[in-house]
Amino acid sequence: MRLRDETRVIPIVARVLAVLAYFGVAIGLIAIAIPQSRDTSMLPKGGQIALGLFAATIPAIYVLLLGYIHGDARRRRMRHIVWTLLAIFIPNLIGVILYFILRDPMPVFCPSCGAAVKSTYAFCPQCAAALRPTCPQCKRPVEHTWSHCPNCGAVTLMAKQAAATTAAPQPL
Ligand SMILES: [Zn+2]
Ligand SMILES: [Zn+2]
């Protein structure tokens, strides 16, 4: 998962908005806010421009981050509009942080029909192909290493196979 591949999910609209935000904020800061503020107006002109160019990266990075959440949530088959709005409207970046804590794992592809499906699914919703081992009794997904189903307690097929292998008569 290289950074180059990850940035590809950022929609073009977000990239354009980030550039506009950068120049809009930089010009506003350098032309108006920095010369008028008592704290920064005594800086030399070069320092004022450098400060404005640096400070303007913050809103631009924020816009790119929102674009990334939109594209990444869509790629993970999550509610990408809802998550983008939460990231925008929950203050202090808490929506952004929540997204990265709660995001779903990347979808996997059905080996039978190629549809993108959630990695937690036991069967493909498009073609019903089995995607993971399931409990023989309740059909919920189980892990390869589990001997019993966590949902109904039934012995899994893997455990039955392991028992059959160990119970086989040993050569004398
Ligand atoms: Zn399928
Ligand atoms: Zn079960």
Side-chain angles (χ1 to χ4, degrees):
M1 203 184 280
R2 294 198 312 263
L3 188 63
R4 181 86 191 270
D5 297 333
E6 285 301 293
T7 54
R8 256 184 229 148
V9 302
I10 301 175
I12 193 83
V13 178
R15 294 163 194 247
V16 172
L17 284 176
V19 173
L20 291 178
Y22 180 78
F23 285 107
V25 171
I27 290 167
L29 286 173
I30 292 166
I32 301 159
I34 293 173
Q36 285 183 0
S37 163
R38 203 181 301 159
D39 297 324
T40 51
S41 59
M42 58 273 275
L43 287 169
K45 196 68 199 166
Q48 293 188 9
I49 291 171
L51 179 65
L53 292 179
F54 175 73
T57 57
I58 294 167
I61 289 170
Y62 180 61
V63 172
L64 288 176
L65 195 56
L66 294 175
Y68 176 80
I69 288 176
H70 182 276
D72 187 56
R74 188 163 57 178
R75 167 172 77 159
R76 290 167 193 263
R77 305 297 190 272
M78 297 167 64
R79 296 174 182 208
H80 55 280
I81 305 285
V82 173
W83 274 109
T84 310
L85 292 175
L86 288 176
I88 293 171
F89 289 111
I90 301 180
N92 301 327
L93 290 181
I94 290 171
V96 173
I97 295 164
L98 276 181
Y99 173 74
F100 285 101
I101 293 173
L102 297 176
R103 67 181 178 175
D104 288 344
M106 287 288 276
V108 295
F109 295 96
C110 168
S112 175
C113 74
V117 292
K118 283 193 178 182
S119 61
T120 51
Y121 288 174
F123 296 94
C124 172
Q126 304 286 334
C127 74
L131 301 170
R132 309 178 48 178
T134 51
C135 168
Q137 191 162 301
C138 70
K139 302 296 180 201
R140 299 271 185 100
V142 291
E143 297 287 337
H144 284 284
T145 51
W146 294 349
S147 61
H148 292 80
C149 170
N151 187 53
C152 72
V155 177
T156 61
L157 286 177
M158 289 78 74
K160 281 181 186 162
Q161 281 163 7
T165 322
T166 44
Q170 300 291 316
L172 295 171

